Amino acid sequence: MEALRSQLTNPMGRSASIALVVLLHVVIIYALVTGLARRMVEVVRHPMETKIIEEAKPVAPDVPPPAPLPTPKFEVPPPPYVPPPEIQIQHPPPLQPPIVNTTPVKPAAPPPVARAAEAPPHAPVHTAPVIDATRCEKPEYPAAARRFRESGTVVLRILVGIDGSVISSEVQTSSGSKRLDEAAREGLSLCRFKPGMVDGKPEQAWSTLRYAWKLEE
């Protein structure tokens, strides 16, 4: 008691006592809290059993299905009997063929048919084109051929159209100078000639033309 009194009267002892009391309360509160929490966890840990109660359905008594109704049978009455009409057909008496005295006559032979003499096939009549160089403008004498004193006669093959114009031309026989041959072909291709004819109608045809190159003194 003396010791307790001394502690109570001593400020330091009083503070230690208060701290000890507080610590004791904290320990008690902690023990209570942890114990209750553990018990709650254990209660929750236990499995919960649930049962589903199904509602009992009333059982219907076994009733046999109704028997099918018999199908009515309809009988078709037979058609009324109608006797066929009596028809009497009168056949005419057979006709006797008339008796005719006939004499067989030999048919006359047909007269001979006169055959016309077949005419020979018509051969078309062709007329060659008329090419006259005197009616055309004379081709210009090439300056090089004149300088080298070239001359000669060239034969041209010319295709004349149905309107008389020259469609094509080519050298058939050379004059000996290519310059003179080409000058004659180009110059005479600008002319117009009389076209060839077949049965009186113009046709496209080939013809030849001779042209002489001569140097004038």
Side-chain angles (χ1 to χ4, degrees), residues 87-192:
I87 301 173
Q88 295 181 358
I89 301 174
Q90 296 181 355
H91 298 281
L95 298 177
Q96 296 181 357
I99 301 172
V100 180
N101 295 327
T102 58
T103 303
V105 178
K106 186 178 181 180
V113 179
R115 294 184 178 180
E118 295 181 357
H122 173 70
V125 179
H126 293 271
T127 303
V130 178
I131 299 178
D132 187 2
T134 59
R135 298 182 180 180
C136 301
E137 186 177 355
K138 294 178 63 175
E140 185 177 357
Y141 212 111
R146 185 185 296 276
R147 186 168 58 252
F148 289 104
R149 310 292 296 177
E150 295 176 352
S151 61
T153 302
V154 58
V155 179
L156 299 176
R157 191 167 178 263
I158 298 175
L159 177 61
V160 182
I162 59 175
D163 59 348
S165 62
V166 177
I167 298 176
S168 179
S169 62
E170 58 185 22
V171 177
Q172 185 174 356
T173 304
S174 175
S175 63
S177 172
K178 290 185 178 180
R179 285 183 282 267
L180 295 177
D181 295 344
E182 190 62 25
R185 193 184 68 81
E186 291 181 358
L188 297 174
S189 295
L190 302 176
C191 297
R192 280 186 176 273

